[in-house]
Amino acid sequence: MKRYPLAAFALAAICFASAAHGQSCPNINIAPSTLPDGTLNKIYSPQTLFASGGTAPYAWGVKSGNLPDGIRVVSGRVQGTPTVAGSYSFTLIAIDNNACTGTRSYN
């Protein structure tokens, strides 16, 4: 059975609440546009994520795809130690204080 982190359910609830209220949201942009490659079993230099266009503070998560094993998004930073080699594609999501969202895909 696949386990889903509690954060995934919280993100879904926030997105649903925003859509249910018919709220008009601004475009939320996420930077950086690319992330550097990691090296197997070496600490990944933490990459800070930035969001603009919405209302701070922002919550961060993975909307789709999978981060490399050992890598996580924690408090707006991509960090960790990759433990499995490979190519990965994923989309990160930023949720602002008004439950408006922006995404950026990485591969």
Side-chain angles (χ1 to χ4, degrees):
M1 177 166 90
K2 185 168 181 164
R3 293 179 173 224
Y4 295 93
L6 182 58
F9 291 109
L11 288 173
I14 290 170
C15 292
F16 175 77
S18 176
H21 287 93
Q23 178 178 332
S24 176
C25 288
N27 289 330
I28 295 176
N29 300 303
I30 296 174
S33 59
T34 61
L35 295 171
D37 292 339
T39 302
L40 183 63
N41 296 320
K42 302 283 184 189
I43 294 173
Y44 185 71
S45 178
Q47 302 297 305
T48 301
L49 301 169
F50 299 95
S52 61
T55 303
Y58 294 92
W60 296 92
V62 178
K63 182 176 181 186
S64 63
N66 294 300
L67 295 171
D69 287 351
I71 300 294
R72 304 284 179 261
V73 176
V74 178
S75 300
R77 290 168 51 119
V78 179
Q79 60 189 41
T81 302
T83 58
V84 177
S87 296
Y88 297 86
S89 295
F90 52 91
T91 299
L92 298 182
I93 186 169
I95 305 169
D96 81 352
N97 198 47
N98 295 318
C100 295
T101 63
T103 61
R104 180 171 293 274
S105 296
Y106 297 93
N107 52 23

